[in-house]
Amino acid sequence: MRTGLYPGTFDPITLGHADIIRRACSLVDKLVIGVAINRDKGPLFSLEERVAMIEAECAALSKQTGCEIVVHPFENLLIHCARDVGASVILRGLRAVADFEYEYQMVGMNRAMDDSIETVFLMAEAQHQAIASKLVKEIARLGGDISGFVTPAVKAQLAEKFG
C-alpha cells in the first residue's frame, strides 16, 4: 500500500486543494491530508473547523476514487509527520513558478533529513491556478463572490465567519 501525505493549512480548503487531492488519489492507495497547526499564520478557522471541513469535502471523493483519505493534524516537521503516518511520498501542489523556489528549498532540506521519502509536485489545473486561501478569505471578507473558488458548503462557512 502506497501512502502519500498532502500537507497544508487549508484555511479554508479550496477547489484548487480538492483538485490536487483528487489527482493525488490516482497516485496513492491512502492519502493523508496533513493539516498544519501553524500559529504564525493566524488561521481564520480553528483546527477543528478545518479538519471537519476537509473531512466533509473529501468523503465523496474517497468513495469516488477508491482512495482512503485520512485527515491528520500536525505541528512537527513535515518530514517527521510523513514518517509518523507511514508516507513514502509527500505531495505538493504548485500554482505558479513562484511557488517552485520555496518548494525546491523545502525538498532539499527534507531529503537531507530523510532521503527515503520522495516529493512529487502536482500543478493545479489551469482554472484553479490563481486560487489561494488567503485571497479567497479577503474576497469573502469584502463581500465578493467566491463561488468559483470553493464549494457551497465552504462558502457558507466563510459567510458565517464574516457575518
Side-chain angles (χ1 to χ4, degrees):
M1 175 183 268
R2 182 175 295 271
T3 300
L5 172 64
Y6 176 43
T9 306
F10 305 101
D11 185 45
I13 186 170
T14 67
L15 295 177
H17 293 129
D19 174 50
I20 297 296
I21 292 166
R22 179 186 52 78
R23 292 171 51 225
C25 281
S26 70
L27 302 175
V28 296
D29 304 300
K30 177 180 178 181
L31 181 63
V32 178
I33 301 176
V35 184
I37 302 168
N38 189 338
R39 299 179 206 299
D40 295 336
K41 283 192 174 183
L44 174 65
F45 291 97
S46 70
L47 175 65
E48 294 76 19
E49 289 171 320
R50 288 181 285 142
V51 166
M53 225 183 302
I54 295 165
E55 288 174 342
E57 294 296 317
C58 291
L61 189 57
S62 181
K63 289 178 187 171
Q64 182 184 55
T65 63
C67 178
E68 179 185 359
I69 300 175
V70 177
V71 182
H72 176 79
F74 75 101
E75 193 170 21
N76 54 346
L77 288 173
L78 176 58
I79 203 73
H80 293 164
C81 178
R83 286 183 198 145
D84 291 346
V85 301
S88 59
V89 62
I90 296 170
L91 297 136
R92 301 291 292 174
L94 294 177
R95 289 177 300 219
V97 174
D99 292 343
F100 183 76
E101 187 170 334
Y102 169 77
E103 295 293 342
Y104 180 78
Q105 290 173 335
M106 186 184 287
V107 169
M109 297 300 285
N110 285 339
R111 291 209 39 90
M113 290 184 279
D114 188 336
D115 65 358
S116 71
I117 299 174
E118 288 293 340
T119 299
V120 174
F121 296 114
L122 296 173
M123 291 296 298
E125 293 288 351
Q127 69 267 28
H128 302 302
Q129 285 181 358
I131 302 174
S133 293
K134 180 180 177 179
L135 296 177
V136 169
K137 288 184 288 191
E138 184 71 5
I139 293 166
R141 185 180 68 79
L142 296 172
D145 181 14
I146 57 169
S147 56
F149 311 126
V150 295
T151 64
V154 173
K155 181 180 176 181
Q157 289 179 299
L158 279 161
E160 188 177 308
K161 283 285 184 186
F162 292 121

